Amino acid sequence: MTAILVESGDPFVVQRNKMVDSQLRERGIHDSRVLEAMSKVPRHEFVAGQFRSQAYEDHPVQIGEGQTISQPYIVARMLEALNLTSSDAVLEIGTGSGYQTALLGEICQSVYSVERRAALAQAAEALLARFGYVNVKIAVGDGTHGMPEKAPFDAIVVSAATPKIPPSLFEQLREGGRMILPVGPSQYQELQLVRKQNGLPEITRLESCRFVPLIGSQGFTLD
Ligand code: SAH
């Protein structure tokens, strides 16, 4: 949707294309909007400097403050499951590095993202501004409350593990809207796709996963 500057001579372009082919296409990701966005967004810009060479590898990578950017396949799986379209308004909880926020900014019309760690939110905001994402807004705070003033959302993506579906987030989903989130104990979760049908959650269980905890009043309580 917005233009990102992929600098000419980007040294990671070969690794990025390889990631898209071998980690995503070959494992069954087929949503062209997701594949295009992941071919375009320079993932190496979003990881901590000393981990840059690992940015396109098949595992999560450190982004600072003890947090991680998810494995590329998991990011793709979550975005594909949401079946996003260009007119969607999306809420993301757990901005982290801003990588997934950039992907959402490529695919959707408007993106709101909440991060509880101010330093991460500021770094992500600066990067996203540098890449020209004018359709993305970042807020600092406990994202388990969502962003009621911008609701309802067509889609919500939660990038941190939660013991249960935060009720405020479900409430802020429009009728027919989709939410994806890792649900379970802190060591191990399953990805759940939640659709709001006649005001009720319809849950589809996808694969198992492991995320850092969602810490907040409707998530985990300990830091
Ligand atoms: N999608 C991110 C990865 C995020 S890691 C990326 O592409 O880089 C999970 C993030 O959720 C961490 O940055 C963590 O600080 C944040 N987080 C944890 N609890 C939160 C809460 N209650 N509200 C908002 N952000 C939260």
Side-chain angles (χ1 to χ4, degrees):
M1 168 139 289
T2 47
I4 200 169
L5 326 164
V6 176
E7 294 134 37
S8 52
D10 177 349
F12 291 95
V13 84
V14 172
Q15 285 185 45
R16 191 158 59 249
N17 288 335
K18 204 169 152 222
M19 168 193 88
V20 170
D21 282 338
S22 63
Q23 297 176 41
L24 310 183
R25 276 201 185 91
E26 282 180 21
R27 289 186 196 156
I29 303 293
H30 53 264
D31 184 329
S32 59
R33 292 157 299 190
V34 173
L35 293 168
E36 259 169 48
M38 290 185 76
S39 303
K40 194 171 175 191
V41 174
R43 184 171 159 95
H44 60 277
E45 298 275 5
F46 293 84
V47 307
Q50 68 271 37
F51 297 107
R52 198 151 277 190
S53 63
Q54 298 179 25
Y56 297 95
E57 292 178 7
D58 193 15
H59 53 75
V61 181
Q62 304 285 331
I63 57 171
E65 302 233 337
Q67 307 303 307
T68 53
I69 184 174
S70 303
Q71 178 193 9
Y73 173 75
I74 289 289
V75 177
R77 187 79 181 91
M78 291 175 85
L79 298 185
E80 179 168 81
L82 287 173
N83 198 17
L84 298 167
T85 66
S86 57
S87 60
D88 282 346
V90 181
L91 175 67
E92 176 188 50
I93 307 303
T95 317
S97 68
Y99 172 66
Q100 184 176 260
T101 325
L103 297 171
L104 290 168
E106 288 288 336
I107 300 169
C108 303
Q109 182 163 317
S110 47
V111 182
Y112 301 92
S113 186
V114 187
E115 169 56 53
R116 69 182 282 274
R117 293 177 182 262
L120 290 178
Q122 280 156 17
E125 197 166 40
L127 261 182
L128 293 164
R130 190 179 125 207
F131 291 135
Y133 289 101
V134 292
N135 57 339
V136 165
K137 300 268 176 298
I138 294 178
V140 178
D142 176 4
T144 65
H145 297 295
M147 212 184 262
E149 67 280 14
K150 300 292 180 191
F153 299 99
D154 300 294
I156 299 179
V157 49
V158 183
S159 302
T162 176
K164 61 175 181 11
I165 300 168
S168 296
L169 297 184
F170 184 70
E171 203 171 294
Q172 290 168 35
L173 212 50
R174 74 157 165 80
E175 176 60 29
R178 298 88 61 202
M179 168 156 63
I180 190 137
L181 72 177
V183 181
S186 59
Q187 306 81 354
Y188 179 85
Q189 307 92 35
E190 64 176 10
L191 276 181
Q192 293 190 357
L193 177 66
V194 181
R195 282 171 181 282
K196 194 178 214 173
Q197 301 287 14
N198 303 314
L200 295 171
E202 191 186 273
I203 298 175
T204 309
R205 301 187 148 80
L206 307 176
E207 56 250 66
S208 54
C209 56
R210 189 174 179 177
F211 279 74
V212 298
L214 181 74
I215 296 162
S217 68
Q218 297 174 44
F220 287 103
T221 47
L222 293 176
D223 202 344

